[in-house]
Amino acid sequence: ETGVTQSPTHLIKTRGQQVTLRCSSQSGHNTVSWYQQALGQGPQFIFQYYREEENGRGNFPPRFSGLQFPNYSSELNVNALELDDSALYLCASSLARQGANTGELFFGEGSRLTVL
Amino acid sequence: GNSVTQMEGPVTLSEEAFLTINCTYTATGYPSLFWYVQYPGEGLQLLLKATKADDKGSNKGFEATYRKETTSFHLEKGSVQVSDSAVYFCALKSGGSYIPTFGRGTSLIVHP
């Protein structure tokens, strides 16, 4: 059984640039969620994808966007980067039926983004 | 809306001490409750869960009991080890939401 993998693990960008983060979900999982974790804080929900469609979104601006592919892998894109976007971005996969999951999430190790 | 409140850390203990990390919640309906653990440099891992009132979740010596009357889900361990040093997150998921809500996390530091 393959766990959740994320890439890249670390990256540095400058303000105004764009970034794409990638996530491969755990084998057998059909749902991917993205979280932003600032230093010393809990994960903040960005959005969730189920069957290639966004089916939930947190309080993040439209410059945060995503995709889910037919193999259930996913991308998080952030445009016009700001200094406050510096954080650990976590991807979590789960198995959902009819779009609702049990709440048990399987997390990757995260992508640490630094915006200068 | 849903929210989770955890005690502030860091919690610093000596090895073999008793651990309690408090967690209280506000939610609509009857949520499922979770504890996740994040070891240094890693993502979060599910530690234990409880899905209804009076359920006790347990794993790796950790326990937490779903207390509906006090809206609490405190994490306990009888004898901590240095390897338990990590950040612990309480979370809930209510039936009407797709998404778990996380607390801010409590850092645990265990000294030999």
Side-chain angles (χ1 to χ4, degrees):
Chain A
E1 188 176 81
T2 306
V4 177
T5 58
Q6 293 186 241
S7 63
T9 54
H10 296 81
L11 69 167
I12 300 172
K13 293 284 188 178
T14 56
R15 202 168 44 179
Q17 284 189 311
Q18 178 266 344
V19 68
T20 296
L21 307 178
R22 295 178 175 84
C23 172
S24 293
S25 60
Q26 182 161 310
S27 177
H29 286 181
N30 58 10
T31 302
V32 172
S33 307
W34 286 92
Y35 287 80
Q36 181 193 66
Q37 186 180 18
L39 201 60
Q41 302 293 316
Q44 297 296 311
F45 172 70
I46 303 175
F47 42 57
Q48 176 176 284
Y49 280 84
Y50 171 68
R51 291 186 175 179
E52 302 177 55
E53 291 193 4
E54 185 181 295
N55 77 336
R57 189 177 183 93
N59 189 25
F60 281 81
R63 60 189 184 83
F64 286 76
S65 63
L67 284 173
Q68 187 180 31
F69 300 100
N71 67 354
Y72 303 123
S73 65
S74 177
E75 286 183 355
L76 164 65
N77 299 289
V78 187
N79 294 322
L81 284 167
E82 300 176 0
L83 298 180
D84 286 348
D85 295 334
S86 295
L88 180 68
Y89 288 85
L90 294 167
C91 170
S93 75
S94 57
L95 178 62
R97 295 178 176 82
Q98 298 179 327
N101 63 59
T102 62
E104 294 183 47
L105 302 175
F106 294 79
F107 284 85
E109 295 190 357
S111 294
R112 184 162 297 284
L113 171 64
T114 302
V115 182
L116 302 176
Chain B
N2 297 336
S3 67
V4 175
T5 303
Q6 294 182 231
M7 61 187 290
E8 287 202 20
V11 173
T12 305
L13 296 172
S14 298
E15 206 165 23
E16 298 184 3
F18 184 85
L19 168 71
T20 300
I21 299 178
N22 291 339
C23 170
T24 56
Y25 67 88
T26 303
T28 54
Y30 301 95
S32 296
L33 302 173
F34 307 84
W35 277 101
Y36 282 81
V37 58
Q38 185 175 32
Y39 298 103
E42 299 184 11
L44 280 70
Q45 304 173 24
L46 179 65
L47 180 60
L48 55 83
K49 68 174 184 178
T51 57
K52 62 183 187 295
D54 300 325
D55 267 3
K56 178 184 285 187
S58 61
N59 186 25
K60 299 181 182 179
F62 291 90
E63 293 183 340
T65 301
Y66 188 141
R67 300 287 188 200
K68 184 172 180 293
E69 63 276 11
T70 54
T71 61
S72 65
F73 192 55
H74 303 323
L75 182 68
E76 297 181 336
K77 187 175 186 182
S79 175
V80 293
Q81 305 300 311
V82 172
S83 57
D84 294 327
S85 297
V87 181
Y88 292 82
F89 293 92
C90 186
L92 71 83
K93 179 185 172 302
S94 62
S97 169
Y98 298 128
I99 313 302
T101 299
F102 287 84
R104 294 182 59 169
T106 303
S107 174
L108 170 66
I109 301 169
V110 181
H111 293 294

